[in-house]
Amino acid sequence: MMYTFDFSSLWAYWPEFLAGALTTLEMTFAATVLGLCIGVAGAIARGSRHAWLRVVAGGYVELVRNTPFLIQIFFLFFGLASVGVRMPVLAAAVLAMVINVGAYTTEIVRAGIEAVHPGQIEAAESLGLSVPQVYWYVILRPALERVYPALTSQFVLMMLSSSITSQISAEELTAVANNIQSITFRSLETYIVVALLYLVLTVLLKSGFWLLGQGLFPRRRRLGTPL
Amino acid sequence: MSVVVKLEDVHKSFGLVEVLRGVSFEVSAGEVVAIIGRSGSGKSTALRCINRLEKIQSGSIEVCGRRVEAPDLDLRALRQDVGIVFQSYNLFPHLTVEENIVLAPRRVKNVKGAEAHALARTALEQVGLSDKIDAYPEQLSGGQQQRVAIARSLAMSPKVMLFDEVTSALDPELTGEVLRVMEKLAKGGMTMIMVTHEMGFARRAADRVIYMHTGKVWETGTGAMLGSPQTPELKNFLANEL
Ligand SMILES: Nc1ncnc2c1ncn2[C@@H]1O[C@H](COP(=O)(O)OP(=O)(O)OP(=O)(O)O)[C@@H](O)[C@H]1O
Ligand SMILES: [Mg+2]
């Protein structure tokens, strides 16, 4: 069996590939920022004094982590549409990503918060810091530093699984590739190119997170040891 | 002399267990008081009630004229008046020594840039650690970490300092450096209440010693009391400590 590779017929589509990759990046950026907010809020809620908050946050986490991502996307896009809640495709895709990654982030951040020694919290309270100040300076900052590697892997994973949103035709990289291969009939070449593009995106994302971490966590930068 | 801390018939229970059973004592400005007693006698609990890390069930605690058990207590103001140092240092591991020290002055008292830096320098000088200002806690020995914890408290200029067995987690060689810092503070006029298992130190540094037993102040006197205990319980305790 002989196969002659022909990448040249794909060349004409580089603007589409680029646009798809950019959309994937944008979706990932939005989902990372919003997912982190949800994760922090969720983690605080899971450790709350109020039982109902713990139950709501716990239920959310379990629901998301025990159902397929594709079903969550279909639910948000088709399911809600059938009861009259219609969203643009991209909005539904990003919302699904936020809800999904928010649940995983909740668990990761919670682990970080639980690792903060209660004595440090008492020390901070004893110094006169207010409750929000204690949360921010003494609990969340070290918690995020501690779980930063786990968090960033989760966000990279989310970038890769954003590929699934092509199922509702969100115009990200995978959907673009599907279109191109159906026009050119060069599916092998198309998916090789797309795989490489995802690889590039992953490297970009990881470098970005690394740089951000250098800025955010000076202790880690200077000592190089995990907290 | 003005009274800084005053406990009157304080009762504190955890669930059904009554840990403080009518504790009363007073500490005047500049006074150094050592609290000794067996494990579980309620020493830490008594300290923790003073800055309201624990709430009491009955009785009253007054700190600098403030009623600690009052429902409308300004908790953050109380805690600025009362410094506390714990057995387990509890430094913030993600912050440098300087950041540990200036966190509260900056966020609570709004002390700014250069002034905050100067505050950290002064506090570190007092504990003899000026060269560690940029270190992280994990780079310090236990004794050094504990001295930073003391500096962190001092930087808030508290009116009274509480010490809860601050040398118990330390190797014997490191105990001395921390005790010397505390003695210096005491000589400098700081009002101090310290729970300690170091009998020699209590005798040397304290103006007054309080022996707690089963949630009560059992015996109290000057350091000399440790040489001539009145109650069999204290006699027994001292015999076991030595
Ligand atoms: N948060 C808590 N919940 C329940 N019981 C507690 C709590 N804190 C302390 N206790 C109990 O209260 C009693 C007195 O404790 P406390 O820590 O005041 O003793 P201590 O004199 O400081 O002892 P040690 O010398 O071991 O530090 C102990 O029996 C302890 O088990
Ligand atoms: Mg104790």
Side-chain angles (χ1 to χ4, degrees):
Chain A
M1 197 175 74
M2 275 299 286
Y3 185 86
T4 330
F5 280 97
D6 173 20
F7 285 98
S8 61
S9 53
L10 295 181
W11 185 243
Y13 294 97
W14 72 264
E16 280 81 2
F17 277 118
L18 187 64
L22 281 179
T23 306
T24 293
L25 261 191
E26 283 163 14
M27 290 163 68
T28 302
F29 180 76
T32 299
V33 172
L34 297 174
L36 186 60
C37 295
I38 293 201
V40 168
I44 291 174
R46 289 211 76 171
S48 163
R49 286 182 290 123
H50 306 290
W52 68 270
L53 263 179
R54 290 198 303 272
V55 169
V56 168
Y60 158 63
V61 168
E62 293 307 323
L63 193 68
V64 169
R65 295 206 310 172
N66 296 301
T67 52
F69 185 36
L70 186 58
I71 300 302
Q72 295 163 13
I73 297 169
F74 282 169
F75 171 81
L76 280 173
F77 190 63
F78 299 121
L80 289 187
S82 65
V83 294
V85 183
R86 278 168 220 286
M87 282 177 273
V89 172
L90 267 187
V94 170
L95 187 61
M97 288 165 72
V98 168
I99 291 176
N100 187 270
V101 83
Y104 290 94
T105 311
T106 295
E107 285 307 273
I108 295 172
V109 174
R110 181 170 77 136
I113 288 179
E114 279 173 359
V116 174
H117 197 291
Q120 288 161 18
I121 298 168
E122 278 191 346
E125 288 172 345
S126 301
L127 287 164
L129 293 169
S130 66
V131 173
Q133 286 173 333
V134 172
Y135 255 103
W136 178 242
Y137 294 108
V138 177
I139 300 179
L140 282 176
R141 298 271 290 261
L144 290 176
E145 178 170 345
R146 192 170 284 116
V147 300
Y148 192 65
L151 273 181
T152 56
S153 321
Q154 192 63 50
F155 290 129
V156 169
L157 208 60
M158 180 197 59
M159 192 269 282
L160 296 177
S161 47
S162 72
S163 152
I164 299 176
T165 64
S166 62
Q167 291 297 311
I168 55 169
S169 307
E171 279 301 303
E172 44 65 71
L173 190 50
T174 303
V176 166
N178 291 342
N179 284 338
I180 293 174
Q181 69 87 24
S182 70
I183 299 168
T184 60
F185 299 107
R186 312 280 347 166
S187 40
L188 185 55
E189 289 86 343
T190 305
Y191 289 117
I192 288 176
V193 169
V194 164
L196 288 175
L197 282 173
Y198 271 113
L199 214 57
V200 169
L201 287 184
T202 308
V203 171
L204 272 179
L205 203 58
K206 284 189 173 167
S207 316
F209 280 130
W210 182 83
L211 268 178
L212 192 65
Q214 293 289 301
L216 287 178
F217 308 119
R219 193 205 65 87
R220 203 187 171 88
R221 182 181 68 233
R222 278 177 51 195
L223 304 188
T225 53
L227 197 59
Chain B
M1 263 200 293
S2 67
V3 175
V4 179
V5 175
K6 181 176 183 180
L7 281 77
E8 238 171 338
D9 196 29
V10 169
H11 290 257
K12 166 75 193 172
S13 310
F14 292 107
L16 293 176
V17 188
E18 195 171 32
V19 175
L20 299 182
R21 304 187 300 145
V23 171
S24 307
F25 62 82
E26 265 183 38
V27 180
S28 305
E31 207 178 6
V32 176
V33 172
I35 301 181
I36 60 173
R38 274 185 23 206
S39 178
S41 56
K43 310 181 294 294
S44 297
T45 306
L47 276 198
R48 293 165 58 84
C49 288
I50 293 175
N51 78 341
R52 220 175 81 172
L53 281 173
E54 305 286 355
K55 280 187 184 170
I56 63 176
Q57 264 85 41
S58 69
S60 80
I61 301 180
E62 221 175 282
V63 177
C64 306
R66 211 180 257 116
R67 290 290 285 267
V68 173
E69 75 282 5
D72 61 345
L73 167 80
D74 183 347
L75 190 58
R76 297 184 66 190
L78 168 77
R79 290 187 171 162
Q80 287 177 56
D81 283 344
V82 183
I84 183 163
V85 184
F86 304 91
Q87 179 176 336
S88 50
Y89 338 132
N90 298 332
L91 296 180
F92 310 129
H94 59 302
L95 301 178
T96 63
V97 165
E98 173 166 12
E99 290 163 345
N100 263 278
I101 294 174
V102 300
L103 177 65
R106 281 174 60 176
R107 302 302 161 190
V108 179
K109 293 183 166 176
N110 223 356
V111 178
K112 294 272 187 317
E115 206 184 327
H117 181 66
L119 202 59
R121 295 251 304 262
T122 314
L124 281 174
E125 258 164 48
Q126 281 179 278
V127 301
L129 281 176
S130 300
D131 55 328
K132 297 294 183 194
I133 191 159
D134 288 322
Y136 283 93
E138 71 191 81
Q139 299 175 301
L140 303 177
S141 73
Q144 291 171 332
Q145 290 192 48
Q146 192 58 290
R147 282 145 72 197
V148 172
I150 294 173
R152 181 175 66 179
S153 264
L154 284 176
M156 287 298 279
S157 322
K159 301 207 172 72
V160 53
M161 293 264 286
L162 314 177
F163 298 86
D164 192 1
E165 297 196 36
V166 295
T167 59
S168 295
L170 298 176
D171 295 337
E173 344 42 295
L174 300 178
T175 303
E177 62 184 62
V178 175
L179 294 184
R180 272 192 295 281
V181 166
M182 290 168 66
E183 287 194 67
K184 208 172 83 182
L185 276 181
K187 290 213 179 72
M190 176 61 77
T191 309
M192 297 168 45
I193 307 176
M194 47 196 198
V195 171
T196 182
H197 279 298
E198 303 280 335
M199 291 308 133
F201 173 67
R203 198 168 183 167
R204 202 165 64 236
D207 302 313
R208 198 147 48 88
V209 178
I210 292 175
Y211 170 61
M212 281 186 67
H213 184 68
T214 60
K216 289 183 170 164
V217 173
W218 207 259
E219 200 173 326
T220 170
T222 62
M225 154 182 123
L226 300 178
S228 53
Q230 300 301 301
T231 59
E233 288 80 6
L234 178 56
K235 211 170 280 174
N236 210 324
F237 169 77
L238 290 172
N240 284 328
E241 281 296 309
L242 296 177

